[in-house]
Amino acid sequence: MNFQAAITAAWQKIGGLIDGFIIMLPNIVLASVVFIIFFFAARWLKLLVKRLTRRHRQARNLGMVLGRLAQGAVILLGLFVALSIVIPTFRAGDLVQLLGISGVAIGFAFRDILQNFLAGILILLTEPFKIEDQIVFKDFEGTVENIETRATTIRTYDGRRIVIPNSELFTNSVTVNTAFNARRIEYDVGIGYGDDVNQAKRLMLEAIYSVDDVLRSPAADVLVLELAESSVNIRARWWIKPPRRIDDLNSRDKVISAIKQKLYVENGIDLPYPTRQILFHDQTEETDGDRSRQREGWPAGNKEVPKPRSISGSLKRIAQIQASKNGNGSDRNLTADDNR
């Protein structure tokens, strides 16, 4: 009897839930339709804001921020309206109060997400770089694909995608290679010490200006940089426009090839490679140890070549040195003749 009563009670509860769902079904359908309308209205509003700011380059990122914020606000408003339709007793103030109570816990739990979100907003507003700019961040270099509120994506030159959190970009140094219209490139060339420096500088300028990609203004220049171990180093500097990576590589290829052709092939100016001189000293001459006469392996030239030291003389000399170190006075009993 108790079992049948339990089944009956459970069935009544299920029936009540089904009846309640059927009663609420029109409200659920209406709430879903209202939320969908708000959702598409939010997307349309975002596109409208972006379209209005697309013509103004300085307001492009600001329009992106405002569009995303407007989209989020409209979707949140649609959610409140839909909940009030499904649950007539629901009030937005109740949800706000609930969020206020749990705001501290949410802040600690999503600290990194909120930090990236705020950094993304500041990046979009201050515009340290823009979409399609080429940047260098730590070990990553590439073209900015997208700036979102959480992270920024860049496409590397070898076809990979890097996702960088906005907080990292905002708090660290970023090099923007395309921030200005023109860019200066430099390359060091070494010539021989016997070559004419002024002639080499003139020929290098002629080679640089023979490349069409090089700008005439600002002017290119060549400067003597240092007197290195094996060469006189001259730095060539020139400007290109636009300043993108592919333009940098193309101009380097043309300018360096032109300098090599002009200096080495056409005018015979030496482009030396590093050289080293190694002297071997076998310490077998009788003058070894005498700093005033020791040659250290250098050729004697017109001077007299010291006589070689005999093996027996070397052994006796070693014995004398060892005896003097031991302090036993045995070196006085040795009658060494190093020339024997």
Side-chain angles (χ1 to χ4, degrees):
M1 186 68 181
N2 293 332
F3 179 73
Q4 292 180 352
I7 294 177
T8 303
W11 180 254
Q12 289 177 354
K13 288 183 179 180
I14 294 175
L17 292 175
I18 294 174
D19 293 338
F21 177 77
I22 294 174
I23 294 173
M24 294 180 59
L25 185 60
N27 292 342
I28 294 175
V29 173
L30 179 60
S32 301
V33 172
V34 169
F35 181 76
I36 292 173
I37 293 174
F38 272 91
F39 179 80
F40 283 102
R43 293 188 59 183
W44 176 83
L45 182 60
K46 177 184 176 182
L47 295 176
L48 177 63
V49 173
K50 292 179 63 176
R51 186 177 303 173
L52 293 176
T53 57
R54 186 176 301 170
R55 298 179 182 179
H56 305 281
R57 178 175 178 82
Q58 300 299 329
R60 229 176 250 178
N61 288 343
L62 179 60
M64 187 181 302
V65 174
L66 294 178
R68 290 174 178 172
L69 291 178
Q71 183 184 22
V74 173
I75 291 177
L76 185 61
L77 179 61
L79 180 61
F80 286 163
V81 173
L83 288 176
S84 63
I85 293 174
V86 176
I87 309 173
T89 59
F90 171 78
R91 293 180 301 174
D94 298 335
L95 182 60
V96 172
Q97 184 179 2
L98 178 62
L99 292 177
I101 295 173
S102 58
V104 177
I106 293 175
F108 277 105
F110 298 96
R111 181 182 59 183
D112 294 337
I113 296 176
L114 295 176
Q115 185 178 3
N116 290 325
F117 176 79
L118 294 177
I121 296 297
L122 293 174
I123 288 175
L124 290 171
L125 291 177
T126 58
E127 292 187 336
F129 53 84
K130 306 177 183 66
I131 295 176
E132 296 301 325
D133 271 340
Q134 293 183 344
I135 65 174
V136 180
F137 176 72
K138 295 183 178 180
D139 297 331
F140 308 117
E141 181 175 358
T143 305
V144 179
E145 278 189 325
N146 193 15
I147 305 174
E148 300 178 349
T149 53
R150 187 193 67 85
T152 296
T153 58
I154 65 174
R155 183 180 66 253
T156 61
Y157 302 128
D158 55 356
R160 294 180 293 172
R161 174 176 293 173
I162 307 296
V163 181
I164 305 174
N166 287 328
S167 60
E168 292 283 332
L169 288 171
F170 191 75
T171 56
N172 291 278
S173 300
V174 179
T175 302
V176 185
N177 289 330
T178 53
F180 304 101
N181 292 329
R183 180 179 178 183
R184 190 181 71 185
I185 304 173
E186 57 186 35
Y187 185 78
D188 295 342
V189 178
I191 65 172
Y193 272 91
D195 295 312
D196 189 345
V197 173
N198 292 326
Q199 180 190 13
K201 292 170 65 176
R202 177 178 56 81
L203 294 174
M204 289 173 64
L205 275 178
E206 293 178 2
I208 291 172
Y209 280 123
S210 66
V211 178
D212 296 334
D213 298 338
V214 175
L215 297 178
R216 269 54 183 175
S217 180
D221 57 4
V222 289
L223 305 170
V224 177
L225 187 63
E226 62 176 342
L227 301 177
E229 295 180 354
S230 306
S231 62
V232 178
N233 292 338
I234 302 176
R235 175 165 295 177
R237 305 190 301 179
W238 66 95
W239 293 80
I240 62 170
K241 180 180 180 179
R244 306 190 73 81
R245 173 71 171 178
I246 185 63
D247 305 298
D248 179 0
L249 294 177
N250 288 336
S251 69
R252 284 180 184 271
D253 172 66
K254 296 176 183 178
V255 169
I256 295 173
S257 299
I259 290 176
K260 191 259 184 183
Q261 178 72 19
K262 180 70 71 172
L263 293 182
Y264 183 73
V265 178
E266 297 181 5
N267 293 275
I269 292 181
D270 189 20
L271 301 179
Y273 49 83
T275 58
R276 298 288 185 273
Q277 186 175 19
I278 301 176
L279 300 176
F280 293 95
H281 185 205
D282 55 8
Q283 297 183 352
T284 59
E285 297 175 352
E286 63 179 4
T287 58
D288 290 336
D290 185 353
R291 301 301 299 174
S292 63
R293 302 176 61 196
Q294 188 169 312
R295 294 188 301 126
E296 296 288 358
W298 289 97
N302 297 327
K303 298 180 180 180
E304 181 182 359
V305 178
K307 296 180 180 180
R309 175 178 294 168
S310 64
I311 297 177
S312 60
S314 300
L315 294 175
K316 291 179 179 179
R317 180 62 179 167
I318 292 174
Q320 288 178 346
I321 295 174
Q322 187 65 31
S324 62
K325 289 182 179 180
N326 295 333
N328 55 12
S330 60
D331 55 333
R332 291 178 294 182
N333 298 326
L334 296 175
T335 56
D337 185 7
D338 293 347
N339 298 324
R340 188 181 304 170

